[in-house]
Amino acid sequence: MPYREEIALLTSDVLHPVNAGKNYLLIIAIDSYKNGIRPLDNAVSDALAFKECLVKNYQFQENHCIELFDENATRPALIELFDELIEKVQSEDNLVFYFAGHGKLVHTIKEGYWLLADAFYGKRDTYLANYEVQKFIRNLKARHVFGIVDSCFSGTLFRRSEPSPPSNLYDYNSRYLLTAGRHEPVEDGFPGEHSPFATCLLEILEKNTQEYLWVGDLCRSVLKNIRFNVDEQTPRGEPLQKVGHQGGEFVFIKNGIKWPPNKKARSISVGQERQFLSDYSSLFKKQTGEEVLFISYAKEDESSKTELKDQLSSLCANNNIKILTDEDVPIGVESSTYIESVLYQADVIIFLLSSNFFRSNRIQNRDVKIALLRHKKREVKLVPIYLRPCFWINDDLAKIQVLPRNKVPISKWSDHDEAWLSIILELNKILK
């Protein structure tokens, strides 16, 4: 069984509420390689089968499908098409991008490439670099982008960084990628058949009996199923980093189905399984009339968190306010899942700002991201408290009024009690 020994691409998918935007499908597939590159048997048939499946079963229209096959799939043609799509695809639209072909990993510079129809074997300047694809995705205005890449070394499209936290709202933008492998060659399949990766992907899409299939569920199913059928090939499916992912997720919607069906279908998976908002919220229940205040802080600033809780105690008792921190996770519940559920339901989120706060990847990738998204939607009151002098690395956070109002860090006040009093008086106004 031959391998796809160079790199293949696939990158964008996202569907928006029905009739709220267009669902575009871009498929690129090459069998007829020349210039010293071995031809493939199944790339084009895989891509055509994927397109047929989406048009037949899900809400994709033929006139919004764009194809580049064999000799037409050249580097200049694809770059020109990328530029056109950047202009054409609007913020309410979604794009699914599928690439099947050869991929190449250049070990000396640790960079992956796609080999298009006009590529020459051994001539890197004729390849399309992963960073060029990532730049295309980054500049798209689309609500959701979902990429599928069936090629060797396709996992090099991912960057080494902290994974984005899962989102529970469909409305947030997403940039997801599903690749046939990681840093290894992947099988092309026997002539006349689909590749093992495409076979698995198509089977899941075609046999899906649910009205809605979330990208996260699709990726997990592909990863799980292919392990039992192909040796030494491990797909990868997760958000693509540093190209505009905001914690959202695309959903494949069956033809004839309206969106959204109910409030539950708007929520996204948390942890390993899909849990809709009603289940997600059950981890933490607000009492009637109760306001929830969540304090986000770095572990190094524990003493400041304790001080704030002490200062807030009388205020909260008089106003039916519940204070929560990472110390309040129930026994037997995953910490990150519980805290995320609180972040999505809190009425007030307080950040204790210091260099430790900004240095924490956990806080920046989860707490800050979720809080800012909800703040922009006016769903939460966001209050940064300035503990100690530090460099603010988040421009959006810097635009929010900080306490103390004079923007002097608490550590710089001659009387810390006076600083905390000024903060509590301001919080009293917010919480009333």
Side-chain angles (χ1 to χ4, degrees), residues 209-253:
T209 59
Q210 303 298 315
E211 295 177 345
Y212 310 96
L213 177 60
W214 295 90
V215 160
D217 290 335
L218 173 63
C219 291
R220 281 188 290 275
S221 296
V222 170
L223 268 60
K224 179 180 178 181
N225 292 354
I226 206 167
R227 290 197 198 104
F228 297 106
N229 298 289
V230 184
D231 294 329
E232 298 181 356
Q233 180 175 333
T234 306
R236 186 174 180 181
E238 61 189 64
L240 195 59
Q241 302 300 315
K242 300 181 181 179
V243 290
H245 183 73
Q246 295 182 354
E249 194 170 324
F250 171 70
V251 60
F252 289 95
I253 306 172

mmCIF file of all heavy atoms in Angstrom, residues 209-253:
data_model
loop_
_atom_site.group_PDB
_atom_site.id
_atom_site.type_symbol
_atom_site.label_atom_id
_atom_site.label_comp_id
_atom_site.label_asym_id
_atom_site.label_seq_id
_atom_site.Cartn_x
_atom_site.Cartn_y
_atom_site.Cartn_z
ATOM 1 N N THR A 209 -26.490 9.647 12.424
ATOM 2 C CA THR A 209 -27.955 9.723 12.495
ATOM 3 C C THR A 209 -28.444 10.939 13.278
ATOM 4 O O THR A 209 -29.643 11.170 13.379
ATOM 5 C CB THR A 209 -28.520 8.448 13.152
ATOM 6 O OG1 THR A 209 -27.970 8.314 14.476
ATOM 7 C CG2 THR A 209 -28.171 7.221 12.333
ATOM 8 N N GLN A 210 -27.503 11.707 13.837
ATOM 9 C CA GLN A 210 -27.876 12.878 14.608
ATOM 10 C C GLN A 210 -28.125 14.067 13.683
ATOM 11 O O GLN A 210 -27.545 14.175 12.600
ATOM 12 C CB GLN A 210 -26.774 13.232 15.610
ATOM 13 C CG GLN A 210 -26.434 12.097 16.569
ATOM 14 C CD GLN A 210 -27.618 11.698 17.430
ATOM 15 O OE1 GLN A 210 -28.323 12.562 17.965
ATOM 16 N NE2 GLN A 210 -27.849 10.407 17.576
ATOM 17 N N GLU A 211 -28.979 14.980 14.112
ATOM 18 C CA GLU A 211 -29.259 16.172 13.307
ATOM 19 C C GLU A 211 -28.082 17.125 13.296
ATOM 20 O O GLU A 211 -27.877 17.863 12.331
ATOM 21 C CB GLU A 211 -30.508 16.882 13.853
ATOM 22 C CG GLU A 211 -31.772 16.054 13.718
ATOM 23 C CD GLU A 211 -32.982 16.753 14.322
ATOM 24 O OE1 GLU A 211 -32.777 17.729 15.085
ATOM 25 O OE2 GLU A 211 -34.121 16.337 14.038
ATOM 26 N N TYR A 212 -27.287 17.089 14.358
ATOM 27 C CA TYR A 212 -26.167 18.018 14.496
ATOM 28 C C TYR A 212 -24.915 17.225 14.860
ATOM 29 O O TYR A 212 -24.929 16.419 15.787
ATOM 30 C CB TYR A 212 -26.452 19.059 15.591
ATOM 31 C CG TYR A 212 -27.793 19.718 15.422
ATOM 32 C CD1 TYR A 212 -28.904 19.248 16.125
ATOM 33 C CD2 TYR A 212 -27.954 20.783 14.547
ATOM 34 C CE1 TYR A 212 -30.146 19.838 15.957
ATOM 35 C CE2 TYR A 212 -29.196 21.380 14.375
ATOM 36 C CZ TYR A 212 -30.286 20.899 15.079
ATOM 37 O OH TYR A 212 -31.506 21.485 14.903
ATOM 38 N N LEU A 213 -23.848 17.459 14.123
ATOM 39 C CA LEU A 213 -22.580 16.789 14.397
ATOM 40 C C LEU A 213 -21.514 17.849 14.616
ATOM 41 O O LEU A 213 -21.094 18.538 13.685
ATOM 42 C CB LEU A 213 -22.186 15.873 13.232
ATOM 43 C CG LEU A 213 -20.832 15.165 13.356
ATOM 44 C CD1 LEU A 213 -20.812 14.268 14.598
ATOM 45 C CD2 LEU A 213 -20.540 14.350 12.098
ATOM 46 N N TRP A 214 -21.078 17.994 15.864
ATOM 47 C CA TRP A 214 -20.074 18.993 16.190
ATOM 48 C C TRP A 214 -18.697 18.539 15.728
ATOM 49 O O TRP A 214 -18.366 17.353 15.720
ATOM 50 C CB TRP A 214 -20.053 19.248 17.700
ATOM 51 C CG TRP A 214 -21.313 19.863 18.215
ATOM 52 C CD1 TRP A 214 -22.415 19.219 18.677
ATOM 53 C CD2 TRP A 214 -21.605 21.257 18.286
ATOM 54 N NE1 TRP A 214 -23.374 20.131 19.053
ATOM 55 C CE2 TRP A 214 -22.912 21.391 18.824
ATOM 56 C CE3 TRP A 214 -20.889 22.409 17.966
ATOM 57 C CZ2 TRP A 214 -23.510 22.615 19.034
ATOM 58 C CZ3 TRP A 214 -21.491 23.634 18.189
ATOM 59 C CH2 TRP A 214 -22.784 23.739 18.716
ATOM 60 N N VAL A 215 -17.880 19.491 15.336
ATOM 61 C CA VAL A 215 -16.542 19.194 14.847
ATOM 62 C C VAL A 215 -15.716 18.443 15.888
ATOM 63 O O VAL A 215 -14.981 17.510 15.567
ATOM 64 C CB VAL A 215 -15.821 20.494 14.418
ATOM 65 C CG1 VAL A 215 -14.319 20.290 14.376
ATOM 66 C CG2 VAL A 215 -16.317 20.953 13.059
ATOM 67 N N GLY A 216 -15.827 18.841 17.144
ATOM 68 C CA GLY A 216 -15.080 18.157 18.194
ATOM 69 C C GLY A 216 -15.447 16.684 18.280
ATOM 70 O O GLY A 216 -14.585 15.824 18.447
ATOM 71 N N ASP A 217 -16.745 16.376 18.142
ATOM 72 C CA ASP A 217 -17.183 14.983 18.163
ATOM 73 C C ASP A 217 -16.678 14.230 16.946
ATOM 74 O O ASP A 217 -16.274 13.066 17.036
ATOM 75 C CB ASP A 217 -18.709 14.915 18.218
ATOM 76 C CG ASP A 217 -19.264 15.379 19.553
ATOM 77 O OD1 ASP A 217 -18.527 15.298 20.553
ATOM 78 O OD2 ASP A 217 -20.413 15.825 19.599
ATOM 79 N N LEU A 218 -16.714 14.901 15.782
ATOM 80 C CA LEU A 218 -16.209 14.279 14.556
ATOM 81 C C LEU A 218 -14.728 13.935 14.697
ATOM 82 O O LEU A 218 -14.290 12.827 14.361
ATOM 83 C CB LEU A 218 -16.425 15.219 13.367
ATOM 84 C CG LEU A 218 -15.801 14.784 12.041
ATOM 85 C CD1 LEU A 218 -16.418 13.477 11.552
ATOM 86 C CD2 LEU A 218 -15.966 15.877 10.982
ATOM 87 N N CYS A 219 -13.954 14.880 15.182
ATOM 88 C CA CYS A 219 -12.517 14.657 15.345
ATOM 89 C C CYS A 219 -12.239 13.505 16.302
ATOM 90 O O CYS A 219 -11.395 12.641 16.033
ATOM 91 C CB CYS A 219 -11.839 15.929 15.841
ATOM 92 S SG CYS A 219 -11.789 17.276 14.633
ATOM 93 N N ARG A 220 -12.951 13.480 17.427
ATOM 94 C CA ARG A 220 -12.724 12.414 18.394
ATOM 95 C C ARG A 220 -13.083 11.043 17.815
ATOM 96 O O ARG A 220 -12.394 10.049 18.070
ATOM 97 C CB ARG A 220 -13.512 12.678 19.676
ATOM 98 C CG ARG A 220 -12.865 13.707 20.588
ATOM 99 C CD ARG A 220 -13.574 13.784 21.927
ATOM 100 N NE ARG A 220 -14.889 14.384 21.803
ATOM 101 C CZ ARG A 220 -15.105 15.705 21.811
ATOM 102 N NH1 ARG A 220 -14.102 16.531 21.936
ATOM 103 N NH2 ARG A 220 -16.327 16.185 21.704
ATOM 104 N N SER A 221 -14.150 10.997 17.015
ATOM 105 C CA SER A 221 -14.552 9.728 16.405
ATOM 106 C C SER A 221 -13.517 9.243 15.402
ATOM 107 O O SER A 221 -13.193 8.052 15.354
ATOM 108 C CB SER A 221 -15.912 9.890 15.712
ATOM 109 O OG SER A 221 -16.927 10.181 16.646
ATOM 110 N N VAL A 222 -12.981 10.160 14.605
ATOM 111 C CA VAL A 222 -11.953 9.786 13.626
ATOM 112 C C VAL A 222 -10.718 9.275 14.353
ATOM 113 O O VAL A 222 -10.150 8.230 13.993
ATOM 114 C CB VAL A 222 -11.594 10.984 12.722
ATOM 115 C CG1 VAL A 222 -10.362 10.665 11.878
ATOM 116 C CG2 VAL A 222 -12.770 11.340 11.807
ATOM 117 N N LEU A 223 -10.280 10.000 15.378
ATOM 118 C CA LEU A 223 -9.086 9.602 16.120
ATOM 119 C C LEU A 223 -9.269 8.230 16.759
ATOM 120 O O LEU A 223 -8.354 7.406 16.765
ATOM 121 C CB LEU A 223 -8.766 10.637 17.206
ATOM 122 C CG LEU A 223 -7.802 11.764 16.816
ATOM 123 C CD1 LEU A 223 -8.346 12.585 15.659
ATOM 124 C CD2 LEU A 223 -7.537 12.674 18.001
ATOM 125 N N LYS A 224 -10.450 7.987 17.288
ATOM 126 C CA LYS A 224 -10.709 6.717 17.958
ATOM 127 C C LYS A 224 -10.770 5.560 16.972
ATOM 128 O O LYS A 224 -10.147 4.512 17.180
ATOM 129 C CB LYS A 224 -12.027 6.807 18.735
ATOM 130 C CG LYS A 224 -12.405 5.518 19.453
ATOM 131 C CD LYS A 224 -13.724 5.687 20.189
ATOM 132 C CE LYS A 224 -14.134 4.394 20.879
ATOM 133 N NZ LYS A 224 -15.437 4.548 21.583
ATOM 134 N N ASN A 225 -11.481 5.753 15.854
ATOM 135 C CA ASN A 225 -11.719 4.660 14.918
ATOM 136 C C ASN A 225 -10.492 4.278 14.113
ATOM 137 O O ASN A 225 -10.266 3.103 13.826
ATOM 138 C CB ASN A 225 -12.872 5.015 13.972
ATOM 139 C CG ASN A 225 -14.196 5.086 14.688
ATOM 140 O OD1 ASN A 225 -14.280 4.766 15.872
ATOM 141 N ND2 ASN A 225 -15.237 5.525 14.005
ATOM 142 N N ILE A 226 -9.696 5.257 13.723
ATOM 143 C CA ILE A 226 -8.578 4.942 12.834
ATOM 144 C C ILE A 226 -7.478 4.175 13.555
ATOM 145 O O ILE A 226 -6.704 3.438 12.938
ATOM 146 C CB ILE A 226 -8.025 6.231 12.176
ATOM 147 C CG1 ILE A 226 -7.357 5.881 10.847
ATOM 148 C CG2 ILE A 226 -7.040 6.929 13.094
ATOM 149 C CD1 ILE A 226 -7.062 7.095 9.986
ATOM 150 N N ARG A 227 -7.409 4.315 14.866
ATOM 151 C CA ARG A 227 -6.382 3.588 15.624
ATOM 152 C C ARG A 227 -6.556 2.075 15.497
ATOM 153 O O ARG A 227 -5.603 1.316 15.598
ATOM 154 C CB ARG A 227 -6.459 3.966 17.109
ATOM 155 C CG ARG A 227 -6.022 5.376 17.421
ATOM 156 C CD ARG A 227 -5.722 5.520 18.915
ATOM 157 N NE ARG A 227 -5.705 6.909 19.309
ATOM 158 C CZ ARG A 227 -6.695 7.505 19.978
ATOM 159 N NH1 ARG A 227 -7.761 6.820 20.306
ATOM 160 N NH2 ARG A 227 -6.625 8.773 20.316
ATOM 161 N N PHE A 228 -7.805 1.635 15.285
ATOM 162 C CA PHE A 228 -8.085 0.204 15.215
ATOM 163 C C PHE A 228 -7.909 -0.350 13.804
ATOM 164 O O PHE A 228 -8.045 -1.553 13.591
ATOM 165 C CB PHE A 228 -9.518 -0.075 15.695
ATOM 166 C CG PHE A 228 -9.743 0.293 17.134
ATOM 167 C CD1 PHE A 228 -10.473 1.423 17.461
ATOM 168 C CD2 PHE A 228 -9.221 -0.472 18.166
ATOM 169 C CE1 PHE A 228 -10.676 1.772 18.790
ATOM 170 C CE2 PHE A 228 -9.428 -0.124 19.496
ATOM 171 C CZ PHE A 228 -10.154 1.001 19.803
ATOM 172 N N ASN A 229 -7.635 0.520 12.838
ATOM 173 C CA ASN A 229 -7.563 0.073 11.446
ATOM 174 C C ASN A 229 -6.235 0.350 10.764
ATOM 175 O O ASN A 229 -5.942 -0.253 9.735
ATOM 176 C CB ASN A 229 -8.687 0.756 10.633
ATOM 177 C CG ASN A 229 -10.061 0.372 11.136
ATOM 178 O OD1 ASN A 229 -10.498 -0.749 10.956
ATOM 179 N ND2 ASN A 229 -10.745 1.310 11.781
ATOM 180 N N VAL A 230 -5.434 1.265 11.295
ATOM 181 C CA VAL A 230 -4.174 1.633 10.658
ATOM 182 C C VAL A 230 -3.068 1.673 11.701
ATOM 183 O O VAL A 230 -3.212 2.328 12.730
ATOM 184 C CB VAL A 230 -4.282 3.011 9.952
ATOM 185 C CG1 VAL A 230 -2.983 3.324 9.222
ATOM 186 C CG2 VAL A 230 -5.452 3.034 8.982
ATOM 187 N N ASP A 231 -1.982 0.991 11.430
ATOM 188 C CA ASP A 231 -0.843 1.014 12.336
ATOM 189 C C ASP A 231 0.020 2.240 12.076
ATOM 190 O O ASP A 231 0.188 2.676 10.947
ATOM 191 C CB ASP A 231 0.007 -0.256 12.149
ATOM 192 C CG ASP A 231 -0.736 -1.516 12.557
ATOM 193 O OD1 ASP A 231 -1.583 -1.414 13.472
ATOM 194 O OD2 ASP A 231 -0.483 -2.578 11.971
ATOM 195 N N GLU A 232 0.568 2.784 13.131
ATOM 196 C CA GLU A 232 1.551 3.864 13.061
ATOM 197 C C GLU A 232 1.032 5.090 12.306
ATOM 198 O O GLU A 232 1.771 5.763 11.607
ATOM 199 C CB GLU A 232 2.845 3.351 12.414
ATOM 200 C CG GLU A 232 3.507 2.232 13.215
ATOM 201 C CD GLU A 232 4.783 1.750 12.583
ATOM 202 O OE1 GLU A 232 5.114 2.231 11.482
ATOM 203 O OE2 GLU A 232 5.460 0.895 13.188
ATOM 204 N N GLN A 233 -0.245 5.364 12.430
ATOM 205 C CA GLN A 233 -0.816 6.598 11.871
ATOM 206 C C GLN A 233 -1.773 7.170 12.907
ATOM 207 O O GLN A 233 -2.753 6.529 13.268
ATOM 208 C CB GLN A 233 -1.552 6.331 10.557
ATOM 209 C CG GLN A 233 -2.173 7.580 9.942
ATOM 210 C CD GLN A 233 -2.799 7.311 8.579
ATOM 211 O OE1 GLN A 233 -2.374 6.398 7.862
ATOM 212 N NE2 GLN A 233 -3.801 8.104 8.216
ATOM 213 N N THR A 234 -1.476 8.356 13.382
ATOM 214 C CA THR A 234 -2.287 8.966 14.442
ATOM 215 C C THR A 234 -2.817 10.313 13.991
ATOM 216 O O THR A 234 -2.070 11.289 13.911
ATOM 217 C CB THR A 234 -1.457 9.159 15.730
ATOM 218 O OG1 THR A 234 -0.875 7.907 16.106
ATOM 219 C CG2 THR A 234 -2.334 9.680 16.851
ATOM 220 N N PRO A 235 -4.097 10.411 13.656
ATOM 221 C CA PRO A 235 -4.677 11.707 13.268
ATOM 222 C C PRO A 235 -4.632 12.693 14.434
ATOM 223 O O PRO A 235 -4.425 12.319 15.592
ATOM 224 C CB PRO A 235 -6.125 11.358 12.908
ATOM 225 C CG PRO A 235 -6.121 9.890 12.661
ATOM 226 C CD PRO A 235 -5.073 9.334 13.577
ATOM 227 N N ARG A 236 -4.859 13.946 14.109
ATOM 228 C CA ARG A 236 -4.897 14.988 15.127
ATOM 229 C C ARG A 236 -6.038 15.941 14.800
ATOM 230 O O ARG A 236 -6.177 16.386 13.663
ATOM 231 C CB ARG A 236 -3.569 15.755 15.167
ATOM 232 C CG ARG A 236 -3.473 16.775 16.293
ATOM 233 C CD ARG A 236 -2.081 17.389 16.356
ATOM 234 N NE ARG A 236 -1.970 18.370 17.430
ATOM 235 C CZ ARG A 236 -0.868 19.066 17.699
ATOM 236 N NH1 ARG A 236 0.214 18.881 16.973
ATOM 237 N NH2 ARG A 236 -0.851 19.943 18.695
ATOM 238 N N GLY A 237 -6.866 16.241 15.773
ATOM 239 C CA GLY A 237 -7.982 17.155 15.565
ATOM 240 C C GLY A 237 -8.166 18.064 16.755
ATOM 241 O O GLY A 237 -8.456 17.594 17.855
ATOM 242 N N GLU A 238 -7.992 19.374 16.541
ATOM 243 C CA GLU A 238 -8.105 20.345 17.637
ATOM 244 C C GLU A 238 -8.067 21.754 17.058
ATOM 245 O O GLU A 238 -7.811 21.932 15.858
ATOM 246 C CB GLU A 238 -6.956 20.160 18.632
ATOM 247 C CG GLU A 238 -5.590 20.369 18.035
ATOM 248 C CD GLU A 238 -4.473 19.964 18.988
ATOM 249 O OE1 GLU A 238 -4.378 18.771 19.323
ATOM 250 O OE2 GLU A 238 -3.699 20.852 19.368
ATOM 251 N N PRO A 239 -8.303 22.775 17.876
ATOM 252 C CA PRO A 239 -8.218 24.152 17.365
ATOM 253 C C PRO A 239 -6.820 24.470 16.868
ATOM 254 O O PRO A 239 -5.829 24.017 17.426
ATOM 255 C CB PRO A 239 -8.579 24.999 18.592
ATOM 256 C CG PRO A 239 -9.396 24.097 19.456
ATOM 257 C CD PRO A 239 -8.801 22.735 19.264
ATOM 258 N N LEU A 240 -6.759 25.253 15.813
ATOM 259 C CA LEU A 240 -5.487 25.718 15.267
ATOM 260 C C LEU A 240 -5.102 26.992 15.995
ATOM 261 O O LEU A 240 -5.928 27.899 16.184
ATOM 262 C CB LEU A 240 -5.642 25.979 13.771
ATOM 263 C CG LEU A 240 -4.384 26.132 12.924
ATOM 264 C CD1 LEU A 240 -3.532 24.879 13.012
ATOM 265 C CD2 LEU A 240 -4.756 26.403 11.473
ATOM 266 N N GLN A 241 -3.853 27.079 16.411
ATOM 267 C CA GLN A 241 -3.420 28.163 17.284
ATOM 268 C C GLN A 241 -2.990 29.413 16.510
ATOM 269 O O GLN A 241 -2.464 29.339 15.408
ATOM 270 C CB GLN A 241 -2.260 27.693 18.155
ATOM 271 C CG GLN A 241 -2.601 26.475 19.011
ATOM 272 C CD GLN A 241 -3.739 26.725 19.973
ATOM 273 O OE1 GLN A 241 -3.770 27.757 20.633
ATOM 274 N NE2 GLN A 241 -4.686 25.814 20.041
ATOM 275 N N LYS A 242 -3.235 30.564 17.119
ATOM 276 C CA LYS A 242 -2.739 31.859 16.663
ATOM 277 C C LYS A 242 -3.231 32.257 15.279
ATOM 278 O O LYS A 242 -2.528 32.920 14.518
ATOM 279 C CB LYS A 242 -1.205 31.888 16.706
ATOM 280 C CG LYS A 242 -0.643 31.668 18.108
ATOM 281 C CD LYS A 242 0.871 31.719 18.133
ATOM 282 C CE LYS A 242 1.399 31.476 19.534
ATOM 283 N NZ LYS A 242 2.881 31.507 19.590
ATOM 284 N N VAL A 243 -4.453 31.829 14.923
ATOM 285 C CA VAL A 243 -5.037 32.232 13.639
ATOM 286 C C VAL A 243 -6.467 32.736 13.807
ATOM 287 O O VAL A 243 -7.233 32.771 12.849
ATOM 288 C CB VAL A 243 -5.001 31.075 12.610
ATOM 289 C CG1 VAL A 243 -3.583 30.777 12.164
ATOM 290 C CG2 VAL A 243 -5.671 29.817 13.161
ATOM 291 N N GLY A 244 -6.847 33.107 15.031
ATOM 292 C CA GLY A 244 -8.168 33.692 15.246
ATOM 293 C C GLY A 244 -9.170 32.800 15.938
ATOM 294 O O GLY A 244 -10.352 33.143 16.006
ATOM 295 N N HIS A 245 -8.742 31.651 16.472
ATOM 296 C CA HIS A 245 -9.674 30.796 17.201
ATOM 297 C C HIS A 245 -10.101 31.481 18.492
ATOM 298 O O HIS A 245 -9.268 31.984 19.240
ATOM 299 C CB HIS A 245 -9.027 29.460 17.530
ATOM 300 C CG HIS A 245 -9.953 28.498 18.209
ATOM 301 N ND1 HIS A 245 -10.980 27.856 17.552
ATOM 302 C CD2 HIS A 245 -10.011 28.080 19.499
ATOM 303 C CE1 HIS A 245 -11.626 27.087 18.404
ATOM 304 N NE2 HIS A 245 -11.059 27.208 19.595
ATOM 305 N N GLN A 246 -11.439 31.506 18.768
ATOM 306 C CA GLN A 246 -11.963 32.174 19.955
ATOM 307 C C GLN A 246 -12.757 31.231 20.845
ATOM 308 O O GLN A 246 -13.584 31.652 21.637
ATOM 309 C CB GLN A 246 -12.836 33.372 19.552
ATOM 310 C CG GLN A 246 -12.056 34.470 18.852
ATOM 311 C CD GLN A 246 -12.929 35.662 18.505
ATOM 312 O OE1 GLN A 246 -14.143 35.643 18.687
ATOM 313 N NE2 GLN A 246 -12.313 36.700 17.992
ATOM 314 N N GLY A 247 -12.501 29.942 20.715
ATOM 315 C CA GLY A 247 -13.145 28.991 21.609
ATOM 316 C C GLY A 247 -14.442 28.413 21.087
ATOM 317 O O GLY A 247 -15.077 27.620 21.769
ATOM 318 N N GLY A 248 -14.873 28.800 19.880
ATOM 319 C CA GLY A 248 -16.108 28.278 19.308
ATOM 320 C C GLY A 248 -15.899 26.946 18.613
ATOM 321 O O GLY A 248 -14.828 26.345 18.671
ATOM 322 N N GLU A 249 -16.943 26.505 17.929
ATOM 323 C CA GLU A 249 -16.854 25.219 17.239
ATOM 324 C C GLU A 249 -17.925 25.157 16.161
ATOM 325 O O GLU A 249 -19.046 25.600 16.355
ATOM 326 C CB GLU A 249 -17.028 24.071 18.234
ATOM 327 C CG GLU A 249 -16.629 22.721 17.690
ATOM 328 C CD GLU A 249 -16.591 21.680 18.788
ATOM 329 O OE1 GLU A 249 -16.205 22.038 19.916
ATOM 330 O OE2 GLU A 249 -16.954 20.518 18.516
ATOM 331 N N PHE A 250 -17.576 24.596 15.015
ATOM 332 C CA PHE A 250 -18.492 24.432 13.898
ATOM 333 C C PHE A 250 -19.355 23.195 14.082
ATOM 334 O O PHE A 250 -18.948 22.236 14.730
ATOM 335 C CB PHE A 250 -17.669 24.314 12.617
ATOM 336 C CG PHE A 250 -18.475 23.935 11.418
ATOM 337 C CD1 PHE A 250 -19.371 24.814 10.848
ATOM 338 C CD2 PHE A 250 -18.320 22.687 10.849
ATOM 339 C CE1 PHE A 250 -20.107 24.452 9.740
ATOM 340 C CE2 PHE A 250 -19.048 22.317 9.744
ATOM 341 C CZ PHE A 250 -19.951 23.206 9.185
ATOM 342 N N VAL A 251 -20.546 23.224 13.505
ATOM 343 C CA VAL A 251 -21.423 22.063 13.580
ATOM 344 C C VAL A 251 -21.947 21.733 12.188
ATOM 345 O O VAL A 251 -22.370 22.611 11.446
ATOM 346 C CB VAL A 251 -22.600 22.302 14.556
ATOM 347 C CG1 VAL A 251 -23.449 23.494 14.133
ATOM 348 C CG2 VAL A 251 -23.472 21.065 14.675
ATOM 349 N N PHE A 252 -21.863 20.450 11.809
ATOM 350 C CA PHE A 252 -22.477 19.970 10.567
ATOM 351 C C PHE A 252 -23.965 19.756 10.832
ATOM 352 O O PHE A 252 -24.334 18.990 11.728
ATOM 353 C CB PHE A 252 -21.844 18.653 10.125
ATOM 354 C CG PHE A 252 -20.443 18.799 9.607
ATOM 355 C CD1 PHE A 252 -19.350 18.604 10.437
ATOM 356 C CD2 PHE A 252 -20.217 19.122 8.281
ATOM 357 C CE1 PHE A 252 -18.060 18.728 9.958
ATOM 358 C CE2 PHE A 252 -18.929 19.248 7.788
ATOM 359 C CZ PHE A 252 -17.851 19.057 8.620
ATOM 360 N N ILE A 253 -24.802 20.430 10.053
ATOM 361 C CA ILE A 253 -26.249 20.363 10.254
ATOM 362 C C ILE A 253 -26.863 19.576 9.105
ATOM 363 O O ILE A 253 -26.601 19.853 7.936
ATOM 364 C CB ILE A 253 -26.870 21.770 10.306
ATOM 365 C CG1 ILE A 253 -26.155 22.620 11.363
ATOM 366 C CG2 ILE A 253 -28.360 21.694 10.590
ATOM 367 C CD1 ILE A 253 -26.571 24.080 11.343
#
